[in-house]
Amino acid sequence: MTEISRLTRAIRTGLEWDTSVGAVVPPIHVSTNYRFETPDRRGGYDYSRSGNPTRDLLGTALGILEGGQPAVITGTGMGAVTTAVLACTEPGDTVAIPHDCYGGTWRLFARLAERQHLELVVLNFTDTAAAAARLRELRPTLVWLETPSNPLLRITDIATLTEAAHAAGALVAADNTFCSPVRQQPLDLGADLVIHSTTKYVNGHSDVVGGAVVAREPELAETIGYWANTLGTTGGALDAWLTLRGLRTLPLRMRQHEQNAAAVVETLIGHEAVGAVHYPGLPEHPGHELAARQQQGFGGMLSFELSGIPAVEAFLDGLACFSLAESLGGTESLVCHPGLMTHAAMPPEVQREAGITPGLLRLSVGIEETDDLVTDVRAGLARAAAVDA
Ligand code: PLP
């Protein structure tokens, strides 16, 4: 029998699954409820919050890509974060999170800590040795990793930190949204859970909000599924179907995202208006070697620093190929100001601690023609330089 790669198996998930009319592409099951044979005999499904065949196909594909159990599919990425946290912690447990994680994730943990649902410890995971030593001291229940981080693209050593976390008795969850499952597989590096905002690269078309949790072990997958149903965080069938359709082109899209990101980075590097460029593909990036080792590519996300708000405004004013918008990972190029947009939930001192400056811009480089993006960025930088002059 031919050995089929993870990628091909994931891309082909659900094809020829329909037995009613022989459709190649799977149908969408929108029914909220399923017929029982007798009151005590149900078929495979009973109620769509608890289980839905279309949602299960997406879960299967993501589980294959991440090398874990079938994913639990949630209505949003934050639904996936919430489900994972509540499933894995009890009141009073200690949770360690990165100092520069996604603003919404930070807000959830901060609010849960304020309400004494958990003890929160914020660590700089890019200092692997110091963070590992703190984990040994703290003995947390859950360690939350996000690599590359949002918005500074810092890289965390998943394997080393997971080993330290496990030795301290903790479970490890890794948010893999920035890389997508075709560029990094945290479960293969030892993590217990992978989280996705499928809103981003997995769906890839900026038209569905969704999330996923993939567990390495069946028992943890069952616990996550139980909590998703109990909390009511599971996703809808139409969303799952669209996301599965998007996932089928993920490897192709990611190649173009990366080609374009590399060209944009080249345009930014050394430009008089640019203070710093954060992209793990750059040899001088502090996490470059680690990213080259634990990722299969450097992704389509990058950030860079201009001198301040006036230069930012000049750069933005006139862009033709980058929409000023939050989110990321879609086919279209986006620019965002993390301090005022995605990370606005973080108070100024927390932003400073995380390295988010007023001049920082984040790009989600899309799959448009490379030359168009480069020309657009070059013109924006000329406008920013004129303000600085
Ligand atoms: N994790 C990361 C890294 C994100 O960037 C986001 C959203 O931007 C989320 C989680 C939350 O996902 P959603 O917006 O789908 O709820």
Side-chain angles (χ1 to χ4, degrees), residues 90-94 116-119 141:
E90 309 231 347
D93 280 351
T94 299
Q116 272 119 41
H117 285 295
L118 44 87
E119 293 286 325
T141 305

Side-chain angles (χ1 to χ4, degrees), residues 76-79 81 102 105 146 150 175 177-178 197-200 209-210 327-328 362:
T76 66
M78 283 314 301
V81 178
Y102 165 61
T105 302
E146 186 184 311
N150 180 3
D175 187 326
T177 298
F178 262 43
S197 167
T198 56
T199 314
K200 313 298 180 336
V209 176
S327 201
L328 59 107
R362 188 191 77 182

Side-chain angles (χ1 to χ4, degrees), residues 357-386:
T357 61
L360 185 74
L361 283 174
R362 188 191 77 182
L363 300 183
S364 171
V365 183
I367 64 167
E368 301 91 339
E369 284 294 302
T370 314
D371 289 349
D372 291 332
L373 299 185
V374 167
T375 305
D376 208 22
V377 168
R378 201 173 280 142
L381 292 179
R383 290 192 297 276

Side-chain angles (χ1 to χ4, degrees), residues 37-100:
E37 295 301 320
T38 62
D40 61 353
R41 273 198 28 224
R42 49 166 233 155
Y45 296 94
D46 51 22
Y47 183 55
S48 230
R49 171 166 40 78
S50 324
N52 173 282
T54 312
R55 194 168 67 221
D56 282 355
L57 289 180
L58 174 61
T60 300
L62 279 169
I64 291 170
L65 281 181
E66 290 288 5
Q69 302 301 312
V72 173
I73 302 299
T74 54
T76 66
M78 283 314 301
V81 178
T82 306
T83 305
V85 174
L86 295 183
C88 295
T89 58
E90 309 231 347
D93 280 351
T94 299
V95 177
I97 67 164
H99 70 317
D100 59 347

Side-chain angles (χ1 to χ4, degrees), residues 100-232:
D100 59 347
C101 59
Y102 165 61
T105 302
W106 180 87
R107 176 174 55 197
L108 173 70
F109 281 111
R111 294 296 95 82
L112 287 176
E114 269 168 25
R115 294 186 160 198
Q116 272 119 41
H117 285 295
L118 44 87
E119 293 286 325
L120 190 60
V121 183
V122 180
L123 295 180
N124 176 359
F125 283 120
T126 52
D127 186 345
T128 312
R134 285 287 283 146
L135 293 181
R136 279 192 288 276
E137 266 165 48
L138 292 164
R139 303 196 64 78
T141 305
L142 178 66
V143 173
W144 195 268
L145 304 179
E146 186 184 311
T147 179
S149 73
N150 180 3
L152 284 153
L153 285 299
R154 295 190 180 114
I155 307 295
T156 298
D157 186 337
I158 299 175
T160 307
L161 284 165
T162 298
E163 214 179 295
H166 284 169
L171 283 175
V172 175
D175 187 326
N176 200 22
T177 298
F178 262 43
C179 265
S180 93
V182 299
R183 287 294 178 266
Q184 182 169 265
Q185 300 82 32
L187 301 183
D188 290 348
L189 299 168
D192 303 287
L193 289 176
V194 167
I195 314 300
H196 279 285
S197 167
T198 56
T199 314
K200 313 298 180 336
Y201 285 106
V202 172
N203 176 58
H205 293 73
S206 302
D207 51 11
V208 182
V209 176
V213 186
V214 191
R216 190 149 46 86
E217 301 299 334
E219 204 180 316
L220 191 50
E222 203 178 314
T223 304
I224 300 288
Y226 170 85
W227 277 101
N229 181 40
T230 301
L231 292 165

